[in-house]
Amino acid sequence: MILNPQMECMPREEIKKLQSERLVWQVKRMYEKVECFRNRMDEKGLKPEDIHGVEDLSKLPFSYKSDLRDYYPYGLFAEPLSDIVRVHASSGTTGKRIVVGYTENDLKIWAECFARMLAAFDVTKEDIIQVSYGYGLFTGGLGAHGGGEYMGCTVIPMSSGNTQLQIQTMVDFGATVLCCTPSYALYLGEEVEKMGVKDQLKLKVGIFGAEPWTESMRKEIEAKLGLKACDIYGLSEILGPGVSGECEYQEGMHVWEDHFIPEIIDPDTGEVLPEGSTGELVFTTITKEGFPLIRYRTRDICSLNYEPCKCGRTHVRMRKPTGRSDDMLIIRGVNVFPSQVEEVLLKVSGDSITPNYQIVVDRVNNNDTFDVNVEMSEKLFADDVKSVERVEGMITEKLRSALGIGAKVHLVNPNTIKRSEGKAKRVIDNRKLV
Ligand code: DLL
């Protein structure tokens, strides 16, 4: 079943025509309303009149995550705050979060984009959706919530955590659809087994995303929870969950091209790569009002597949992102930049630790582990065990409040973290996520 066949199965020439009209509209209004974009256009000697359609897209300047930091919090909004009805935020590379805003119309489009995916998996208004993505500034919870309500489903706004209660709610309320990160789904599956309630679950579909996950993880989740597990992709800067999602054939995620134009570029040179190449994914939002972006560098590495899909949808499919062109880690669904960890450590008294640290990430029993090893100073080294524990506890708390997740902090002896002659190797990621 398809929610909006007119939009989702539109011939490719019509998609291009629609994108061209919308791109011209977006460039014109952004030039008037967004200083950062206007400056970049001026630097290139470009005027909105030079952009006639998608064929001119590659002439336009890129935008970057650092722009959101430089214009923090509202400097990139294209509508006055009085017309912004919601904000969300995500990790930035430093202590400051990145902030995004939505008009009422943006929220409607977001809900529809999410709902297209629900429809692809035969979710209807008869269904009961348990939203176990985190609510709050993260886009997962409210994004899925909006999509579920748009479909007319019964939405359970559970948020993440409190696992036993999650499962009891799923059973008691008869949830048929589960939305959460794949790693949390797996954890829920394990707990379901322990509680012995699998036969009481009514789940049929799971909408999982926000982090990389493997096909073997998909099979495990499906077996443990007795549902069909679907992949959904998105990022706060462009929309939140629902920029793209799988259809019933699950051979890539359809990017909703009536709202977002994807490109694949060489991350080093910025050149657009030929169809089918693997490179960095770039998005242009052509209907977003509140917080539009032109040629936004997502840093996600993947490829686009323009071949027709068996489902009849004509929108291009993106393959699962296979990595990032920056150093962002996604740990238990939370975006973490090593620079955020460094910032916290630098603020800790120079008497107790040195700036030498290493982050070690692994996946044990399907759960991400996150260890931060920090060299203590000679002075602390000579001190008692109690002082070491106190400093570890203090850093753990500071990291939790800066990153929003728990890390295991270990103070290690002076001069034990391997020095590098070139760039320091700050991160060891032992997970195999693709
Ligand atoms: O993670 C939005 C989202 C919420 C997507 C719920 C899907 C479900 P951010 O916190 O801004 O937004 O993180 C965006 O997460 O650039 C990717 O690197 C990664 N990511 C998101 N979905 C997937 C996925 C949300 N399905 C960043 N597979 C993106 C792999 C994903 N990586």
Side-chain angles (χ1 to χ4, degrees):
M1 184 205 137
I2 298 173
L3 190 70
N4 189 346
Q6 272 164 346
M7 291 315 271
E8 292 172 48
C9 303
M10 198 187 266
R12 290 231 39 101
E13 314 79 71
E14 276 183 43
I15 294 184
K16 281 210 159 152
K17 196 163 156 266
L18 184 70
Q19 287 181 330
S20 291
E21 284 165 18
R22 291 180 168 178
L23 178 67
V24 168
W25 168 80
Q26 188 67 286
V27 167
K28 185 168 178 295
R29 68 188 283 276
M30 280 181 68
Y31 190 81
E32 282 161 18
K33 298 173 181 222
V34 184
E35 184 200 327
C36 172
F37 178 66
R38 186 168 52 249
N39 291 344
R40 293 248 165 88
M41 289 282 281
D42 289 348
E43 275 164 26
K44 280 184 155 246
L46 274 175
K47 290 275 171 261
E49 307 80 77
D50 299 326
I51 305 302
H52 305 284
V54 280
E55 66 280 9
D56 295 324
L57 185 64
S58 62
K59 291 183 187 162
L60 289 164
F62 289 119
S63 47
Y64 306 88
K65 198 168 196 132
S66 55
D67 298 339
L68 282 89
R69 183 193 59 211
D70 297 345
Y71 287 83
Y72 175 89
Y74 304 137
L76 295 178
F77 288 10
E79 293 298 335
L81 269 188
S82 53
D83 289 327
I84 299 291
V85 297
R86 166 107 61 84
V87 292
H88 279 283
S90 175
S91 311
T93 47
T94 63
K96 278 203 175 125
R97 297 177 143 245
I98 57 155
V99 181
V100 299
Y102 305 77
T103 63
E104 209 176 320
N105 197 42
D106 293 335
L107 289 185
K108 266 195 211 127
I109 289 173
W110 186 8
E112 193 206 319
C113 285
F114 195 100
R116 284 181 186 180
M117 234 213 107
L118 295 175
F121 288 90
D122 288 336
V123 174
T124 68
K125 65 191 289 294
E126 309 304 323
D127 280 291
I128 302 171
I129 301 193
Q130 180 150 330
V131 179
S132 305
Y133 285 116
Y135 277 63
L137 289 175
F138 176 53
T139 52
L142 282 164
H145 186 112
E149 283 191 350
Y150 186 92
M151 279 298 279
C153 306
T154 306
V155 180
I156 313 171
M158 197 66 202
S159 199
S160 54
N162 218 339
T163 305
Q164 309 274 318
L165 185 64
Q166 291 271 355
I167 294 167
Q168 201 55 55
T169 308
M170 249 182 254
V171 170
D172 294 349
F173 294 12
T176 54
V177 181
L178 173 66
C179 300
C180 63
T181 59
S183 46
Y184 194 49
L186 209 45
Y187 182 47
L188 283 168
E190 280 159 8
E191 290 302 301
V192 161
E193 272 175 0
K194 278 190 206 150
M195 288 165 73
V197 294
K198 190 180 167 199
D199 57 348
Q200 295 174 45
L201 292 178
K202 297 208 171 57
L203 293 174
K204 56 178 199 186
V205 178
I207 311 282
F208 305 131
E211 62 183 357
W213 52 309
T214 56
E215 283 307 313
S216 67
M217 233 173 128
R218 188 195 307 255
K219 289 202 184 81
E220 231 179 306
I221 296 170
E222 290 184 334
K224 285 194 160 63
L225 290 171
L227 47 65
K228 190 158 187 60
C230 319
D231 199 0
I232 186 168
Y233 166 92
L235 62 164
S236 319
E237 298 91 307
I238 297 303
L239 180 80
V243 173
S244 68
E246 283 179 334
C247 65
E248 55 274 33
Y249 288 95
Q250 303 195 298
E251 289 170 356
M253 296 182 272
H254 289 280
V255 176
W256 304 123
E257 285 186 275
D258 44 339
H259 301 294
F260 316 105
I261 310 179
E263 296 170 275
I264 294 289
I265 63 157
D266 177 326
D268 297 324
T269 64
E271 286 300 310
V272 177
L273 295 176
E275 236 177 81
S277 314
T278 298
E280 184 183 330
L281 184 61
V282 169
F283 280 114
T284 296
T285 65
I286 47 176
T287 53
K288 266 275 208 76
E289 294 173 344
F291 180 75
L293 283 171
I294 299 283
R295 304 196 81 203
Y296 182 70
R297 305 273 306 249
T298 66
R299 303 289 174 190
D300 286 320
I301 301 293
C302 79
S303 63
L304 296 172
N305 177 4
Y306 285 91
E307 281 163 29
C309 180
K310 284 178 258 179
C311 72
R313 289 177 187 79
T314 46
H315 295 234
V316 67
R317 282 170 288 164
M318 59 178 266
R319 298 211 165 80
K320 256 181 188 306
T322 52
R324 304 224 0 128
S325 71
D326 63 4
D327 56 359
M328 187 178 94
L329 297 159
I330 306 183
I331 305 172
R332 292 176 227 133
V334 177
N335 303 348
V336 175
F337 286 94
S339 48
Q340 290 177 290
V341 173
E342 188 160 324
E343 204 171 67
V344 166
L345 296 178
L346 287 174
K347 282 188 193 143
V348 174
S349 148
D351 274 2
S352 50
I353 60 167
T354 74
N356 294 306
Y357 72 96
Q358 199 155 47
I359 297 169
V360 184
V361 192
D362 208 339
R363 187 157 280 179
V364 179
N365 296 331
N366 293 315
N367 227 325
D368 289 338
T369 59
F370 175 28
D371 292 78
V372 180
N373 300 326
V374 189
E375 271 184 17
M376 62 183 114
S377 66
E378 297 284 355
K379 183 171 176 297
L380 187 70
F381 182 53
D383 260 351
D384 57 316
V385 181
K386 271 217 169 100
S387 315
V388 171
E389 282 175 357
R390 184 181 47 78
V391 175
E392 283 176 342
M394 186 243 308
I395 299 175
T396 306
E397 266 325 298
K398 283 186 191 292
L399 283 174
R400 190 192 306 283
S401 93
L403 308 174
I405 56 164
K408 272 207 184 108
V409 175
H410 313 273
L411 289 193
V412 297
N413 292 344
N415 299 312
T416 50
I417 291 180
K418 197 167 176 280
R419 302 295 191 266
S420 152
E421 287 177 2
K423 237 166 132 68
K425 189 161 170 54
R426 295 294 188 204
V427 179
I428 301 178
D429 192 343
N430 292 319
R431 299 171 297 179
K432 301 215 170 16
L433 297 176
V434 283

